[in-house]
């Protein structure tokens, strides 16, 4: 699951609309193979729809071969009512784009047989080949569509009784009178959302921060139906800073650092729209070790905007340039990722192959952990591990090590005691060949003086040198007693 954090709701709305635009254009829909889009209602997606209308009017996207399915509809509210979701979608989106009338699918809350209407809706989704992208918002209690807390995670389109909190939240659309808010609704099920090939949720505002924390940092729970996206293979949440207020700081930093690594080290042009790495950033391993490098040329630019979120088509031409003979050649390697010069000492064979730039904003924990050398780099030349290192360097770009460090940093934040890092910072130092050793390495014992309240020495004895004993060793000793 991807978590994209933007500054405020306006930035979230633009990012989301631009992502939908690029997904439609990347799909290249036709009349026979339409792009099937699930759409939410409520206040959260309104500005997203405004951006989509603007993109259409500017000629940046066409909805001619798009099929839409709305998430829900009130029961008993006439379609012409200004607060019906039929009127809502037409007012904010459908009446302003070139969507075919027969491509618009909405639930009928006034059907004589509501159960049959729900079955018809599910059958229609299957008839068009399933939903390609389901865009959704959530409520403060974490519900998707009208799947209130306690809903089955395998549920399909059905009639649902609205929770009192939902009725209160929607009363603002009915003049603040809760008595005018319908108490029943037709809604797609949690299972219907899960069946989509991709799910994109929009979460903004501090009042939804608890729901986001439940989804990101806790397990799947039917009392927080949005948590089901943890089980989806292609789910993305776009939120603002206020929505992250209940998340741990290290969680927020982790997801931001992942996006930073992709921006600065891999390059947006090398990342697919869904976040997958579509190509190696610097060619093959042979090119990486080529002596003809131009340090003044940068192949990766960190200064990019959400105007183009990883579109391969638009960026393909930026990866290939032509030399004086007119033949295509690959871009030159950034000096920040150039092979490091080997040290002159006898341990040169152990030195890491690449010196990677550190992501800015990395905390002290991450910097300390970066000092610990990988086992693949410590093995003598010619050993099995050394050969594995060579094979790995040929199979992965050097940025693979950066991913390894990001994972270890996140893992350590959660599972390793803080005093272990204090021990590394205070008692370890880097040697000339990149290893760590005790800063006070020497005797395994030290003299410990005992004194009375007045400071006078009363006894002394030899104890193990604390500089050569880590807190993890001490913990093992305590557990063995």
């Amino acid at each position: 699951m991807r978590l994209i954090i933007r500054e405020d709701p306006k930035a979230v709305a633009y990012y989301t609309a631009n992502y939908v635009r690029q997904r439609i254009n990347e799909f290249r829909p036709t009349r026979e193979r339409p792009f099937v889009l699930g759409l939410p209602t409520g206040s959260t997606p309104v500005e997203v729809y405004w951006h989509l209308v603007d993109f259409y009017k500017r000629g940046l996207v066409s909805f001619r071969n798009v099929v839409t399915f709305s998430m829900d509809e009130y029961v008993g509210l006439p379609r012409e009512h200004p607060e019906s979701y039929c009127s809502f979608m037409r007012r904010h989106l459908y009446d302003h784009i070139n969507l075919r009338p027969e491509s618009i699918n909405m639930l009928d809350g006034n059907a004589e047989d509501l159960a049959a209407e729900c079955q018809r809706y599910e059958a229609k989704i299957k008839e068009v080949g399933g939903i390609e992208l389901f865009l959704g918002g959530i409520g403060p209690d974490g519900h998707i569509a009208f799947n209130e807390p306690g809903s089955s995670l395998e549920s399909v389109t059905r009639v649902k009784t609205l929770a009192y909190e939902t009725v209160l939240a929607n009363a603002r659309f009915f003049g603040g009178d809760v008595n005018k808010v319908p108490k029943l609704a037709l809604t797609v099920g949690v299972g219907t959302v899960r069946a989509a090939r991709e799910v994109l949720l929009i979460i903004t505002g501090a009042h939804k921060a608890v729901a986001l924390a439940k989804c990101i940092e806790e397990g799947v729970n039917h009392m927080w139906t949005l948590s089901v996206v943890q089980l989806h293979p292609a789910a993305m949440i776009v939120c603002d800073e206020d929505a992250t207020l209940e998340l741990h700081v290290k969680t927020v930093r982790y997801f931001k650092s992942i996006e930073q690594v992709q921006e600065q080290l891999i390059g947006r042009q090398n990342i697919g729209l869904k976040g997958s790495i579509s190509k190696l950033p610097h060619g093959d391993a042979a090119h990486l070790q080529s002596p003809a490098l131009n340090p003044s040329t940068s192949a990766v630019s960190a200064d990019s905007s959400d105007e183009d979120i990883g579109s391969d088509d638009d960026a393909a031409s930026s990866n290939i340039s032509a030399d004086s003979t007119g033949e295509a050649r690959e871009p030159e390697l950034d000096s920040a990722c150039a092979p490091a010069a080997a040290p002159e000492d006898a341990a040169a064979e152990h030195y890491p192959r690449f010196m990677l730039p550190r992501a800015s904003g990395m905390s002290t924990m991450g910097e300390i952990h970066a000092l610990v050398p990988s086992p693949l780099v410590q093995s003598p030349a010619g050993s099995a591990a050394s050969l594995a290192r060579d094979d790995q360097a040929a199979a992965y770009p050097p940025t693979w090590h950066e991913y390894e460090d990001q994972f270890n940093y996140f893992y350590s934040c959660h599972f390793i005691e803080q005093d272990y890092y204090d021990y590394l910072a205070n008692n370890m130092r880097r040697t000339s060949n990149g290893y760590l050793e005790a800063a006070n390495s020497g005797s395994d014992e030290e003299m410990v003086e005992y004194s009375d309240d007045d400071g006078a020495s009363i006894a002394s004895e030899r104890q193990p040198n604390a500089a050569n004993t880590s807190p993890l060793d001490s913990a093992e000793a305590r557990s063995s007693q």
Side-chain angles (χ1 to χ4, degrees):
M1 179 171 59
R2 301 168 63 192
L3 179 64
I4 305 297
I5 303 171
R6 290 297 180 262
E7 183 66 26
D8 52 37
K10 292 185 179 295
V12 168
Y14 181 80
Y15 182 96
T16 304
N18 196 39
Y19 183 85
V20 173
R21 175 187 70 85
Q22 292 190 59
R23 283 284 283 115
I24 294 173
N25 291 338
E26 179 187 67
F27 192 85
R28 292 187 172 91
T30 63
R31 187 74 177 266
E32 295 73 25
R33 181 176 170 267
F35 185 90
V36 185
L37 183 62
L39 294 174
T41 53
S43 58
T44 302
V46 168
E47 197 162 350
V48 175
Y49 295 154
W50 293 349
H51 284 301
L52 289 176
V53 171
D54 180 62
F55 290 152
Y56 162 70
K57 291 182 177 180
R58 291 161 55 192
L60 300 177
V61 66
S62 173
F63 295 89
R64 193 66 178 169
N65 295 313
V66 174
V67 174
T68 65
F69 285 86
S70 297
M71 272 191 162
D72 38 38
E73 181 58 278
Y74 289 120
V75 170
L77 201 64
R79 285 201 166 196
E80 297 75 20
H81 192 284
E83 296 306 328
S84 74
Y85 288 140
C86 176
S87 298
F88 174 92
M89 294 302 300
R90 292 192 181 280
R91 182 167 61 250
H92 292 292
L93 182 64
Y94 293 160
D95 289 347
H96 309 286
I97 58 178
N98 62 336
L99 198 62
R100 302 175 193 268
E102 63 271 21
S103 299
I104 299 173
N105 296 277
M106 290 182 283
L107 286 159
D108 184 2
N110 296 285
E112 292 185 4
D113 190 337
L114 295 178
E117 170 65 10
C118 295
Q119 294 173 5
R120 180 198 67 81
Y121 208 65
E122 286 285 335
K124 183 65 175 179
I125 293 175
K126 294 179 181 178
E127 181 184 327
V128 297
I131 295 176
E132 181 68 25
L133 172 63
F134 223 131
L135 179 65
I138 70 163
D141 58 1
H143 69 256
I144 301 178
F146 278 133
N147 293 285
E148 303 286 8
S151 296
S152 168
L153 301 184
E154 295 293 337
S155 58
V156 294
T157 305
R158 68 206 186 285
V159 183
K160 192 68 179 172
T161 303
L162 303 187
Y164 185 66
E165 289 78 8
T166 302
V167 173
L168 289 178
N170 290 344
R172 66 186 188 276
F173 302 118
F174 294 84
D177 188 351
V178 295
N179 296 317
K180 295 181 180 180
V181 182
K183 308 305 186 291
L184 295 176
L186 301 183
T187 179
V188 296
V190 181
T192 309
V193 176
R194 283 184 60 188
R197 285 181 280 278
E198 185 178 6
V199 177
L200 195 168
L201 297 182
I202 315 166
I203 303 177
T204 58
H207 62 298
K208 298 180 181 179
V210 173
L212 179 62
K214 293 287 184 180
C215 175
I216 298 295
E217 296 182 334
E218 297 190 15
V220 178
N221 189 334
H222 70 154
M223 296 304 292
W224 301 88
T225 52
L226 85 158
S227 64
V228 77
V229 298
Q230 296 180 27
L231 305 177
H232 199 284
M236 178 168 68
I237 295 176
V238 185
C239 68
D240 64 353
E241 292 285 355
D242 286 347
T244 67
L245 292 177
E246 293 292 334
L247 291 174
H248 289 90
V249 173
K250 58 194 173 190
T251 302
V252 175
R253 288 179 176 174
Y254 169 72
F255 281 104
K256 286 185 175 180
S257 71
I258 290 297
E259 191 174 5
Q260 187 180 48
V261 168
Q262 292 179 337
E263 291 279 345
Q264 296 183 358
L265 298 182
I266 301 176
R268 185 169 289 182
Q269 71 275 13
N270 299 310
I271 303 173
L273 194 55
K274 294 183 180 180
S276 60
I277 300 177
S278 57
K279 60 178 75 71
L280 298 184
H282 302 304
D284 55 22
H287 174 69
L288 289 172
Q289 301 180 51
S290 172
L293 299 175
N294 184 356
S296 64
T297 302
S298 175
V300 177
S301 174
D303 184 17
S304 56
S305 66
D306 291 335
E307 185 65 32
D308 202 6
I309 311 173
S311 175
D312 291 338
D313 295 334
D314 297 338
S317 60
S318 65
N319 284 336
I320 303 295
S321 56
D323 57 16
S324 58
T325 63
E327 296 182 357
R329 59 180 175 82
E330 295 190 4
E332 295 170 321
L333 185 64
D334 190 344
S335 60
C337 291
E344 297 179 356
D345 60 6
E349 57 192 290
H350 304 313
Y351 203 73
R353 183 186 298 267
F354 296 101
M355 293 297 291
L356 295 175
R358 307 300 309 155
S360 61
M362 180 68 75
S363 68
T364 305
M365 271 193 210
E367 292 295 278
I368 293 174
H369 187 81
L371 297 177
V372 182
S374 167
L376 291 174
V377 184
Q378 297 179 31
S379 306
S383 67
S386 176
L387 295 177
R389 176 196 65 192
D390 295 337
D391 293 340
Q392 182 176 342
Y396 294 95
T399 49
W400 181 87
H401 296 286
E402 186 68 20
Y403 275 116
E404 180 186 40
D405 181 67
Q406 292 292 334
F407 171 79
N408 288 336
Y409 168 55
F410 183 63
Y411 179 88
S412 301
C413 286
H414 279 281
F415 302 110
I416 303 298
E417 296 180 5
Q418 176 66 44
D419 57 0
Y420 177 59
Y421 289 102
D422 295 338
Y423 162 76
L424 287 179
N426 297 328
N427 301 297
M428 303 296 279
R429 66 184 180 188
R430 190 207 293 263
T431 62
S432 60
N433 62 356
Y435 295 139
L436 288 179
E437 69 174 11
N440 189 25
S441 58
S443 173
D444 292 335
E445 294 184 344
E446 63 178 346
M447 186 67 69
V448 178
E449 298 284 343
Y450 297 94
S451 55
D452 57 19
D453 295 339
D454 297 329
S457 177
I458 56 175
S460 63
E461 66 174 350
R462 288 190 175 274
Q463 291 186 358
N465 193 334
N468 295 329
T469 305
S470 78
L472 299 184
D473 295 333
S474 302
E476 293 177 358
R478 290 195 300 270
S479 62
S480 63
Q481 291 179 353

